[in-house]
Each structure stands twice: as C-alpha cells, then as structure tokens.
Amino acid sequence: MIRTDKRAESLAENGNALYSANRLKLGTFATNVDGGTIKSSVKGRAEATWASTSAIACITDNMMFEALVPLGRWRGFGGTTDHGGSSFESYTWAAAIGAITEHSAVFSTSHVPTIHPILAAKQGATIDHVTGGRFALNVVCGWDSQMEMFGTSLLDHSKRYHQAAEWLEIIQRLWSEPGTLDFDGQYYTVAGGFLDPKPITKPFPPIMNAGTSETGRRFAARYCDMAFLAPKPLDQLKAEISNYRKLAWEEFGRTLQIWTWAYVVHGETHKEAEAFYHHYVHEVGDWEGAKGQINARGIFSPPTPEEDFRRIQEQLVAGGGVPLIGSADEIADALAGLSDIGLDGVLLSWPRYQEGAEHFKNEIYPRIVQLDLRTG
C-alpha cells in the first residue's frame, strides 16, 4: 500500500481544491438524494432530479466550495418520504456534476461490496479526466442489509475493513503503477489487471472514510487522506479530532484532514430560525422514516430508553449533522467555532436546499470571509 507523509503536499501541488489555503473548507452533502440530509416533507427540500442537484452544485461551486459529496443509498427507510429511496448513483452523478462545475472536488461515495475494484478504478479515473483532476473517493464498507440486494451478506465489522483494505490497494495500484497487476488476496484475485489512462491526479486521487470504531479509525488513519467524523458535542469532537491526528501521525507517519457535516437553519433572527426548525421537524417531519434508519442500525426501543430513541429520531429528521440554527451572524460564529476545535472542513446541507444555499451565499458567506475563515 502506498503511504507517505508527503501525500498532502503532493495533492496540494496538483492544485486539488481540497487542499486550498482556506482555514475552513466547505462542501455540500447528499444533494443526490431526495430530501438531502433531512427527513421531512417541507416544501423546497432537495429533489432527486437533475434540475435540483445541478442547481445546488453550481451555486456552491461558484462560492469555491472545496467538496461535493453524495450520499450512497440503494433503497429507502420507509415513512412518508422513504428517505434514500429516490437517489442518483454516485459515480455517474459525479461525472455529470463534474462536467458542469469548475472548482469543487467531486466525490463518489462507494460501497465496497457493490463494485469490483477494477471497475471502481476505471470509473474513478474517467471522472478524474472529466473534471480535470477533481475526483475524490469516499470509501464506505457497508453497514446495513441493503448490501443483500447485491447477492452478498454484510461481513462482520472487522472483516469489512480487511476487505476494504484489499479493495483500496488494488485501486490505488491500478491508478499509480505501470504495466499489469496481479493480486492474490483473501477477498480479491486479479490476474493481469490493467488501467489506462491513469488519473490526472498523481499518484492518485484523495480518499475519504467515515470510520468511527477503533477498526474504522485505524483504517482511515492508515489508508485515507480525509476522516469524516459523526457529529458530537464540541468538546467530544475536539478530543476525537486530536486523537485521530495523533493516531495517524504516531502509528502511520501520516497527516489527515478531518471533516464533519452540519445542517444550516437560517432566519433573520434566532426566533425565526427556531420557528422554521419546529415547522420542518415537528410539523412535517418524517419521524417514521427516521425510526426506519435507526432500526436498520440495529437500535430499537426498547431496550433503548424511549427518550434517547426520540432524541436520535429528531436529530435524523432535522439533518443528522451538527445543528447550525440562528441568524447569519450566529451561523458564521458557529462555523468559526468548528474551525477553532480543529476541523479542516464541514459539509453543509439545508432543509430547503437550493434556497438555503442561495441565502448562505448572499448573507452568511461574506461574514465567514470577514472572520478570516476563507479568503473570498
């Protein structure tokens, strides 16, 4: 496996947007999915249509966002919105979005069990050429029964990461090594593997992973360039960021970018933002769909206390990420706080996705430039 502490410098020299000089890097999350990150029937939510996803990409690319990251889903969670049931496949989505944008790194979110590494390498290299070197790969090992749609059962947790390590090694070697590749592993056998053209990005495009377990954290620290953390209270998130960086450097001699995601609920005043939150979460929220997602993770109530279960439901209905709720000044200050605890970047979403992105561009973005989070 190819690893070097000069990796980040190499990607920066390639001009990859993910390695911009901005103190806080920004991106979007889940614009390829009906509803985006929320589970609500609120009017103006993201739609799984080309008109919706392309409009959002162009708005945020115009703000020089560093990343456009799709959600990987193959079926929904039920409820009134069946969140995730209507979505665009992420490799073809990335190629199409990459063709109409100019700046942002465009990710594919790839479930390891669903695609052979030779095909993933070929598709990723193609997208890297389509985008002029802006492709990035978000590796997901799989976490629920949707993998059974592909005729395979989900492996035990640690085995998923062993499979992912082989999968990623094959891809990276095809992306970076000349000639043909022979590989004989526990999960994959490749005889005379070949890829041409190679990606534009040398030696290969950036890799992201969202491992949260100890096994997942070690996988990301060893093999990836970016760790995508689940939202937590800021003091816990700060400690996790520090521990992640320490693990990556001390055990593998590597540096990592650390990202999370957040949902933005903007109002002219804090009271107005809270009122909108109440509307889209408590009046038209899809709590049954949120329950379906929680159950898919093997969590039920009982035995989980009802109060704790409802809290998780509300978080998923609202957007799942770090809540950024309030006026433009409050949201800008909250983003500064996320930067202050050591985050390199934040993927954003909005309940009314396109409208929210426009408001962010006009009313919040100038404020985060004034806070020296970004250069403009």
Side-chain angles (χ1 to χ4, degrees):
M1 180 62 65
I2 301 169
R3 299 194 305 273
T4 171
D5 59 357
K6 298 296 184 182
R7 169 80 168 142
E9 288 85 346
S10 173
L11 287 167
E13 289 172 2
N14 273 261
N16 193 285
L18 294 169
Y19 292 84
S20 75
N22 286 323
R23 178 178 149 203
L24 182 66
K25 298 164 181 61
L26 295 175
T28 60
F29 191 32
T31 66
N32 65 314
V33 175
D34 196 60
T37 63
I38 68 167
K39 294 173 178 61
S40 172
S41 57
V42 67
K43 184 178 180 181
R45 68 186 194 146
E47 299 176 350
T49 65
W50 178 245
S52 175
T53 192
S54 61
I56 296 164
C58 289
I59 293 166
T60 52
D61 186 63
N62 185 257
M63 281 187 277
M64 306 288 280
F65 274 24
E66 283 81 1
L68 307 177
V69 182
L71 189 67
R73 289 303 303 167
W74 300 101
R75 66 183 179 206
F77 295 110
T80 57
T81 64
D82 192 32
H83 185 264
S86 181
S87 65
F88 290 127
E89 186 279 325
S90 70
Y91 282 94
T92 46
W93 175 89
I97 288 294
I100 64 167
T101 53
E102 297 180 353
H103 176 78
S104 304
V106 183
F107 282 72
S108 291
T109 296
S110 188
H111 293 96
V112 170
T114 69
I115 183 170
H116 193 279
I118 290 180
L119 180 56
K122 188 75 168 178
Q123 291 181 166
T126 301
I127 299 167
D128 206 49
H129 281 266
V130 168
T131 60
R134 291 185 288 122
F135 175 68
L137 181 63
N138 180 24
V139 179
V140 179
C141 298
W143 57 270
D144 71 351
S145 61
Q146 66 177 320
M147 297 301 98
E148 294 175 359
M149 297 171 63
F150 296 86
T152 181
S153 297
L154 194 63
L155 295 173
D156 291 340
H157 183 76
S158 62
K159 291 181 179 179
R160 292 177 221 165
Y161 284 98
H162 293 153
Q163 180 187 21
E166 286 190 11
W167 185 84
L168 192 54
E169 179 176 352
I170 292 166
I171 291 172
Q172 290 180 337
R173 290 180 63 184
L174 285 169
W175 277 345
S176 60
E177 295 179 4
T180 58
L181 170 66
D182 293 323
F183 185 91
D184 186 15
Q186 181 179 355
Y187 299 96
Y188 298 100
T189 299
V190 176
F194 179 77
L195 177 68
D196 191 65
K198 306 294 186 185
I200 292 173
T201 305
K202 305 300 181 187
F204 50 80
I207 311 293
M208 174 189 276
N209 179 257
T212 55
S213 66
E214 182 61 24
T215 301
R217 290 173 63 249
R218 293 183 68 82
F219 175 85
R222 183 175 182 181
Y223 298 118
C224 302
D225 305 296
M226 307 167 68
F228 190 45
L229 303 188
K232 294 178 178 66
L234 293 193
D235 57 340
Q236 295 178 29
L237 200 54
K238 181 177 181 179
E240 186 172 354
I241 292 166
S242 176
N243 291 336
Y244 233 129
R245 294 194 195 282
K246 182 178 180 181
L247 171 66
W249 181 252
E250 292 186 356
E251 295 206 23
F252 305 109
R254 307 188 69 246
T255 58
L256 280 177
Q257 285 194 9
I258 310 291
W259 289 59
T260 192
W261 83 99
Y263 60 91
V264 180
V265 185
H266 172 226
E268 290 301 315
T269 64
H270 189 86
K271 183 177 180 180
E272 182 180 301
E274 289 280 9
F276 178 48
Y277 177 92
H278 179 81
H279 169 65
Y280 87 86
V281 173
H282 293 284
E283 294 178 358
V284 293
D286 182 6
W287 289 65
E288 190 64 24
K291 178 182 177 181
Q293 182 173 350
I294 300 166
N295 292 164
R297 292 185 177 273
I299 302 172
F300 298 87
S301 179
T304 301
E306 182 179 356
E307 182 178 347
D308 293 342
F309 195 89
R310 292 286 291 179
R311 176 182 52 79
I312 300 170
Q313 271 185 293
E314 180 170 347
Q315 180 188 27
L316 290 177
V317 170
V322 175
L324 303 178
I325 303 171
S327 66
D329 284 333
E330 288 175 312
I331 291 169
D333 288 343
L335 286 168
L338 292 176
S339 175
D340 288 343
I341 66 170
L343 284 166
D344 294 291
V346 181
L347 300 182
L348 301 177
S349 65
W350 297 265
R352 291 175 173 147
Y353 221 123
Q354 184 174 341
E355 177 184 306
E358 286 280 11
H359 285 164
F360 188 89
K361 176 183 176 181
N362 296 327
E363 301 178 37
I364 301 172
Y365 195 86
R367 287 171 165 82
I368 65 176
V369 171
Q370 292 174 358
L371 292 173
D372 293 325
L373 295 174
R374 297 177 67 82
T375 58

